[in-house]
Amino acid sequence: MKKAIYPGSFDPMTLGHLDIIERSSRIVDELNVAVLKNNAKNPLFSADERVSMIKEFTSHLPNVTVTAYDGLLADYADQIGANIIVRGLRAVTDFEYELQIAQTNHAVNPKIDTIFLTTSLQYAYLSSTITKEVASYGGDISKFVPKELVDRVYSKFNIKR
Ligand code: ADP
């Protein structure tokens, strides 16, 4: 049984994330989306909010579970019995960082391998950071996040549209 973990901040979850979740869930038997609590990054959405938004938008995928974690990813993967890490690659700028992280995780836990899915072209520019930046100025984010999430992102910036 192939169990994979897709870790990230997901603050907030974007259509780019959802695309990676849908595509990787077809490759493995079980996919755990792991939300990094990471309070140091001062997230816009709490870990609980991020877990429940991802559950909401992946409810059509029966082999996808969503949890929050803290600490070393390699340890958490081990704890839940996953030996594949899924990451998305958008541009060459992602590559250097992702390569280093993948090699580190493999060094920390040799049972773990990382697989990369390249972004679908229409989401190549998209990130949680870009979404927050545009939303903070009241810009249109309807192409960035699931439509049910749009107003929830604006409300974090006290913006009504
Ligand atoms: P992190 O804080 O760990 O970078 P993110 O939530 O920003 O977490 O991203 C989680 C994963 O999703 C990363 O592998 C990232 O490269 C990938 N990802 C983010 N946005 C996209 C996108 N638009 N297309 C493909 N992969 C993406």
Side-chain angles (χ1 to χ4, degrees), residues 68-135:
Y69 82 102
D70 229 345
L72 261 189
L73 175 63
D75 287 345
Y76 185 65
D78 223 15
Q79 205 178 305
I80 65 164
N83 57 3
I84 303 165
I85 296 174
V86 173
R87 295 287 287 176
L89 285 179
R90 283 161 292 195
V92 280
T93 42
D94 280 341
F95 181 78
E96 212 171 322
Y97 173 74
E98 293 292 343
L99 182 68
Q100 189 181 21
I101 298 291
Q103 288 170 340
T104 304
N105 284 323
H106 191 71
V108 172
N109 185 343
K111 283 188 296 195
I112 294 182
D113 275 305
T114 301
I115 62 168
F116 296 100
L117 266 63
T118 52
T119 179
S120 294
L121 271 183
Q122 73 264 38
Y123 304 128
Y125 63 93
L126 187 53
S127 69
S128 298
T129 305
I130 287 291
T131 301
K132 286 182 275 196
E133 182 83 5
V134 173

Side-chain angles (χ1 to χ4, degrees), residues 48-68:
D48 285 348
E49 286 174 319
R50 285 176 278 148
V51 167
S52 59
M53 75 172 69
I54 300 169
K55 280 187 178 161
E56 181 180 341
F57 300 116
T58 59
S59 62
H60 60 297
L61 302 169
N63 64 339
V64 172
T65 56
V66 190
T67 53

